[in-house]
Amino acid sequence: MSGNRNVVVVGAGMAGLGAAYTLRKHGLDVTVFEASPDIGGRVTGKQIDGFHMDVGANVFLESYGTIRQLASELGVSLKRTPVPINGGVYRSGRFHGFYGGGSPASQLKTAGTFLQFRLLSPRGLRQALRFVKMLKARANDLSFDDHRRILDLDTGVSTTEFFESNFGTEVLERFIQPNLSSYTLGYPEEVGAAYAMVAAWDFGLNGGAWPCLPDGGPGVFVNALARACAEGGGGIRVSTPVDRIVLEDGAVRGVVTEAGFIEADAVVCATTATKALEIIPRLPSGIRDVLRRVTYSKCCRVFFGVDSSPFPTDWYAVAFPRETGALMTGMSDSAVMAPETVPEGRALVDALVIGRRAEELFALSDEEASQQVLAEIRNYFPTMARPLFTHVHRWDEAVCLAPGGMMTALDRMRGQDLADVRGLFLAGEYMGVPSTNGALRSGIDTAEDCAAFFSQPAGR
Ligand SMILES: Cc1cc2nc3c(=O)[nH]c(=O)nc-3n(C[C@H](O)[C@H](O)[C@H](O)COP(=O)(O)OP(=O)(O)OC[C@H]3O[C@@H](n4cnc5c(N)ncnc54)[C@H](O)[C@@H]3O)c2cc1C
């Protein structure tokens, strides 16, 4: 492969870094332009008084094959979290404990509490069992590593429509919704059915939901990946937004930054779909129309550093099904899952508010937003201590929701309209199964497409 072909990658999130790393492996010259002062995109952390907060993605699942493979290549060790994921679901005026961990004893305990607090009626239980049976039959395809294996499930319907037609809404509201909303930060009406099936299976029902992280959190993996990208020469230029990707006569010419025009033989746009639409003004309508179908959840994440956790001993998280009307969708104590990120003996309460409720908080100051969330937490946990500090993070575009039919439309567009624009490649979570793993996979796959493009005699 010729080393003097130069590729610009726009965005240094999981997708952009995965693309840059793979392009370098092919011997190409790569420069990454990142708009913000930090790399990682939605994998990003913040430090306050010895507490480390992952304000974006905080969990890699054990089932994330692409991350595991690359972590082993980079020498980053991923560890299963040492403790069982215990917690509670709020219903009928109190929390009902669940006990994760995979051991037969804890599974029995989980089944016991399920029956004891009658999460589901016998009818709802039958709905759940039929759903699990359906997922089991497709277990090999329900993976964050390859969206192509689930395209036949992406029939254009939302998760709500899918449950209404196939299983019923009781299992949806009481069981699927709290899980799905904790993972996608969206509601079942917004999330496509195919994506929900992967999330439900991998994030709970297959038992492989165990978090598997580097010591110090996902940022450690991102930093190792960025170092590996930089080692091959070229570089990652932070605080350098790309204003425009220039297309002319059906081909990429380069990018425009504040410093002027930079010529490129190919450009990988690894931003969100929204940003791609903004910075590639001359996109053919076939691509533009499909990118407009990509939607994102909204989330306001509020952290409280406290002397002690308000939860019962050893509980990691609590969930609030939306029928409870709670402000939060879920809350966790990071000190349980990642003790090294919190000063010894202390707790870090992480509250997630999504959708319309998040937008209401966006309109408030940090102080007002955190006071509202704190007051709500105290409704459920009156012993919640006075915070040592609070931190509010607003995500206007949190996680791609892969609305019904989006994956199929993108896949078709990638093989048709996009292939007609020589030298332009798109990467990002929305081009895979939305997650850190899906973003990384999309970056690697796109880089392979780009390398194949250069190996054709006259380009694509
Ligand atoms: C609150 C929250 C919690 C989450 N939790 C999890 C989780 O636990 N597990 C999980 O797997 N996933 C989780 N996710 C989703 C996950 O973070 C994303 O799917 C993934 O990180 C997206 O990666 P990406 O590279 O596609 O996009 P991004 O990370 O958004 O990267 C795009 C990059 O492009 C840059 N950029 C944009 N415009 C320009 C421009 N004009 N010029 C140059 N650069 C530009 C941006 O600054 C950004 O760095 C979570 C997301 C959020 C917000």
Side-chain angles (χ1 to χ4, degrees):
M1 180 68 56
S2 160
N4 50 21
R5 303 277 208 160
N6 78 306
V7 185
V8 163
V9 175
V10 185
M14 286 292 257
L17 292 174
Y21 176 75
T22 310
L23 290 163
R24 290 255 163 78
K25 273 185 164 177
H26 281 280
L28 293 156
D29 289 342
V30 186
T31 309
V32 182
F33 291 103
E34 167 53 52
S36 85
D38 304 307
I39 56 152
R42 279 169 277 166
V43 179
T44 180
K46 172 125 190 114
Q47 320 276 342
I48 298 182
D49 295 344
F51 288 78
H52 170 85
M53 289 160 277
D54 285 306
V55 299
N58 58 326
V59 173
F60 291 164
L61 298 177
E62 206 166 21
S63 59
Y64 285 1
T66 306
I67 287 181
R68 284 167 67 103
Q69 159 71 34
L70 200 48
S72 116
E73 225 171 290
L74 297 170
V76 175
S77 80
L78 301 179
K79 285 195 317 208
R80 239 174 171 251
T81 53
V83 292
I85 302 302
N86 297 335
V89 177
Y90 191 78
R91 186 164 140 66
S92 309
R94 68 185 186 90
F95 286 96
H96 302 267
F98 59 78
Y99 306 89
S103 73
S106 67
Q107 278 170 12
L108 266 181
K109 234 170 150 184
T110 305
T113 42
F114 236 70
L115 294 173
Q116 195 191 336
F117 75 92
R118 294 190 186 86
L119 179 69
L120 298 171
S121 69
R123 186 156 167 253
L125 212 50
R126 279 197 300 277
Q127 294 172 355
L129 290 173
R130 278 198 296 122
F131 179 55
V132 172
K133 195 170 161 205
M134 192 219 115
L135 296 185
K136 236 181 188 164
R138 293 296 301 260
N140 287 338
D141 300 324
L142 298 174
S143 147
F144 283 98
D145 285 309
D146 189 356
H147 70 280
R148 284 161 298 209
R149 300 214 296 255
I150 52 165
L151 289 183
D152 67 304
L153 299 170
D154 186 33
T155 54
V157 295
S158 70
T159 308
T160 301
E161 288 163 334
F162 175 75
F163 271 87
E164 278 167 353
S165 328
N166 294 287
F167 301 105
T169 51
E170 181 181 329
V171 62
L172 174 72
E173 285 304 321
R174 301 218 175 135
F175 184 58
I176 299 298
Q177 183 271 318
N179 265 297
L180 189 66
S181 296
S182 303
Y183 188 81
T184 64
L185 309 174
Y187 289 113
E189 296 72 48
E190 306 168 309
V191 180
Y195 179 31
M197 286 185 236
V198 179
W201 186 243
D202 271 37
F203 192 55
L205 294 173
N206 73 350
W210 209 261
C212 194
L213 288 160
D215 256 348
V220 171
F221 173 82
V222 163
N223 288 336
L225 183 54
R227 270 197 307 277
C229 289
E231 268 162 22
I236 302 175
R237 300 203 199 152
V238 293
S239 303
T240 313
V242 164
D243 297 330
R244 194 154 46 92
I245 296 175
V246 181
L247 304 184
E248 253 174 42
D249 303 326
V252 149
R253 299 292 169 215
V255 298
V256 176
T257 69
E258 209 180 55
F261 177 71
I262 297 153
E263 204 175 326
D265 296 305
V267 175
V268 175
C269 181
T271 64
T272 57
T274 325
K275 204 64 192 176
L277 279 165
E278 216 177 289
I279 63 175
I280 326 178
R282 301 183 74 176
L283 268 182
S285 60
I287 302 176
R288 188 159 279 281
D289 292 346
V290 177
L291 291 185
R292 285 205 187 101
R293 294 178 65 163
V294 181
T295 54
Y296 293 87
S297 52
K298 290 184 190 297
C299 171
C300 187
R301 199 162 187 173
V302 187
F303 293 88
F304 301 91
V306 279
D307 275 330
S308 58
S309 167
F311 300 160
T313 311
D314 288 342
W315 277 21
Y316 166 61
V318 292
F320 300 90
R322 64 174 163 185
E323 62 184 17
T324 63
L327 176 61
M328 290 84 64
T329 285
M331 275 166 63
S332 58
D333 171 12
S334 309
V336 176
M337 196 170 71
E340 75 281 2
T341 59
V342 173
E344 207 175 332
R346 298 214 156 132
L348 180 63
V349 173
D350 169 4
L352 295 172
V353 179
I354 68 170
R356 184 182 48 78
R357 311 294 296 269
E359 282 183 286
E360 285 163 13
L361 295 185
F362 288 176
L364 305 179
S365 68
D366 281 7
E367 172 68 17
E368 289 165 336
S370 57
Q371 282 306 323
Q372 268 204 24
V373 175
L374 185 61
E376 179 82 344
I377 292 175
R378 288 198 171 123
N379 285 335
Y380 297 95
F381 296 102
T383 58
M384 171 74 177
R386 203 159 78 89
L388 304 164
F389 69 88
T390 60
H391 176 69
V392 179
H393 202 98
R394 298 165 180 80
W395 289 100
D396 191 41
E397 291 192 325
V399 181
C400 170
L401 295 169
M406 182 203 86
M407 289 188 199
T408 310
L410 281 166
D411 197 65
R412 203 173 298 134
M413 178 270 276
R414 178 184 179 147
Q416 295 173 2
D417 304 72
L418 187 59
D420 288 340
V421 184
R422 292 189 311 282
L424 176 67
F425 299 89
L426 298 176
E429 60 167 358
Y430 70 97
M431 294 293 281
V433 184
S435 58
T436 47
N437 189 77
L440 185 66
R441 182 77 257 156
S442 86
I444 293 172
D445 288 349
T446 295
E448 294 296 348
D449 287 352
C450 181
F453 160 71
F454 285 132
S455 67
Q456 290 165 15
R460 198 170 53 186

